[in-house]
Amino acid sequence: MKFRIIGLVVALLFILLGAHPAKAKDVVMSGAERSDYFTQALSLALSYAPEKQYQIKFINFDVPKLRALKLIANHEGIDVIPAGATVERQELVNPIRLPLLKGLFGWRVPLVLEKNKDMFLQKQTDVEFKQHIAGQLYTWSDTKILESNGIKVLKGSKFLGLFTMLEKERFDYFPRSMLEVEEEYQRFKHHGIIIEPNIILHYPTAYYFYVSKQNVELHNDIRNGLELAIADGRLNTLFKQHFGDIITRINLKNRRLIELNNPFLPPDVPLSRKNLWLDVEQYIDNNVN
């Protein structure tokens, strides 16, 4: 009789567990439903914790980045967002300090007028290069980075207006990230604007996932998942699928590298972990200005 009772109890537990499966955990991102690189990277990271049954959801409307970060901090409808690494953001929310884009936003290719395509053809001294005027928005962090390196910057108040200012030669070049420059060239090439073929600027940047400081479980699961995806090569494969062709088309090996400092980068960015960053040795000649 004793064994029959134990057997009935075990059977009842199986029935109850089957009737109440583990509840999936929703992870909410800003914006409309999509399957971009960041969403796929997050899904990949969370897949290493299958027992949590994470499901990525979207709020289905756009929120300005600062507002989204505040919503995350206050647990008001958004759980995670990808954004650039800044000291101010790290004070508000908790970063997963693994650079998702391998620093691609810091690799800057100039847009110039076609008639000025040879502006940087000849190697110039540091002083000579800095005589050329770059165009940027007042509010961009890149503006501060360029100016901190002694580069002259003409600042505008509207993004589209910068292309008009370039066309009218108010400034000489418009440095854009490798992730932006091709699409913007296609939009504005009818204004006589081209992708400058001879140089590339670089300063270190990082793009992180951020979560609430109180959401320790999600932070740890994303961090651990990304580390595992880096170790087994799956994150690098995803990166190449999205950005490999872009990097190839920029033709890095035939561009002169102009290395700049970024004094606004948080000091805890893992720059020493070389496997986290774009490996450019095979693309760029050792001809650094």
Side-chain angles (χ1 to χ4, degrees), residues 86-104:
T86 68
V87 173
E88 294 77 13
R89 288 169 180 169
Q90 292 185 180
E91 292 175 349
L92 182 64
V93 286
N94 199 9
I96 290 91
R97 293 182 178 88
L98 295 168
L100 300 168
L101 293 172
K102 298 192 175 188
L104 274 188

Side-chain angles (χ1 to χ4, degrees), residues 2-18:
K2 180 179 179 180
F3 291 107
R4 288 183 62 189
I5 293 173
I6 293 174
L8 287 171
V9 171
V10 173
L12 182 59
L13 286 172
F14 274 116
I15 292 171
L16 290 174
L17 289 172

Side-chain angles (χ1 to χ4, degrees), residues 138-185:
Y138 280 101
T139 56
W140 284 348
S141 59
D142 305 281
T143 304
K144 295 191 299 180
I145 294 170
L146 293 173
E147 288 183 323
S148 72
N149 282 272
I151 293 174
K152 296 181 179 180
V153 180
L154 185 66
K155 295 179 279 288
S157 58
K158 295 182 179 179
F159 174 67
L160 294 180
L162 290 170
F163 294 92
T164 301
M165 293 168 70
L166 176 59
E167 184 181 11
K168 293 182 177 180
E169 299 187 81
R170 297 274 306 280
F171 53 79
D172 301 311
Y173 66 105
F174 188 10
R176 307 298 293 140
S177 82
M178 282 204 282
L179 301 181
E180 302 161 325
V181 69
E182 288 189 327
E183 187 272 335
E184 291 173 6
Y185 160 68

Side-chain angles (χ1 to χ4, degrees), residues 41-259:
L42 179 61
S43 178
L44 174 61
L46 295 175
S47 73
Y48 290 87
E51 71 283 358
K52 305 288 182 70
Q53 299 185 45
Y54 282 114
Q55 294 184 8
I56 298 176
K57 306 288 186 180
F58 300 88
I59 60 173
N60 288 320
F61 58 90
D62 289 324
V63 179
K65 192 157 289 183
L66 179 58
R67 176 60 179 158
L69 289 164
K70 290 180 178 178
L71 291 174
I72 291 171
N74 296 323
H75 304 280
E76 295 180 346
I78 303 177
D79 298 307
V80 60
I81 188 173
T86 68
V87 173
E88 294 77 13
R89 288 169 180 169
Q90 292 185 180
E91 292 175 349
L92 182 64
V93 286
N94 199 9
I96 290 91
R97 293 182 178 88
L98 295 168
L100 300 168
L101 293 172
K102 298 192 175 188
L104 274 188
F105 265 118
W107 292 91
R108 296 273 154 169
V109 181
L111 292 172
V112 298
L113 291 180
E114 184 171 12
K115 67 179 184 178
N116 295 331
K117 66 180 181 180
D118 295 332
M119 178 186 305
F120 303 115
L121 181 61
Q122 300 298 322
K123 184 174 181 179
Q124 301 169 338
T125 66
D126 192 55
V127 173
E128 289 172 335
F129 170 76
K130 291 177 180 179
Q131 295 306 307
H132 297 289
I133 302 173
Q136 297 280 279
L137 277 187
Y138 280 101
T139 56
W140 284 348
S141 59
D142 305 281
T143 304
K144 295 191 299 180
I145 294 170
L146 293 173
E147 288 183 323
S148 72
N149 282 272
I151 293 174
K152 296 181 179 180
V153 180
L154 185 66
K155 295 179 279 288
S157 58
K158 295 182 179 179
F159 174 67
L160 294 180
L162 290 170
F163 294 92
T164 301
M165 293 168 70
L166 176 59
E167 184 181 11
K168 293 182 177 180
E169 299 187 81
R170 297 274 306 280
F171 53 79
D172 301 311
Y173 66 105
F174 188 10
R176 307 298 293 140
S177 82
M178 282 204 282
L179 301 181
E180 302 161 325
V181 69
E182 288 189 327
E183 187 272 335
E184 291 173 6
Y185 160 68
Q186 292 297 332
R187 285 179 63 191
F188 296 100
K189 61 183 180 181
H190 61 285
H191 291 284
I193 293 171
I194 65 165
I195 297 174
E196 195 280 332
N198 299 302
I199 67 167
I200 187 165
L201 285 69
H202 174 252
Y203 40 85
T205 63
Y207 223 80
Y208 294 152
F209 281 130
Y210 289 89
V211 302
S212 165
K213 290 183 181 292
Q214 286 71 48
N215 202 341
V216 177
E217 179 184 16
L218 181 60
H219 179 278
N220 290 343
D221 286 341
I222 295 175
R223 183 196 62 205
N224 294 338
L226 287 175
E227 288 282 17
L228 290 169
I230 291 167
D232 65 22
R234 293 176 66 192
L235 187 62
N236 190 53
T237 296
L238 183 65
F239 177 87
K240 287 182 177 180
Q241 288 173 352
H242 282 266
F243 309 121
D245 289 345
I246 294 173
I247 297 170
T248 299
R249 288 195 297 270
I250 292 301
N251 195 21
L252 292 175
K253 66 181 179 181
N254 290 322
R255 292 178 177 272
R256 182 164 57 91
L257 172 62
I258 297 175
E259 189 70 53

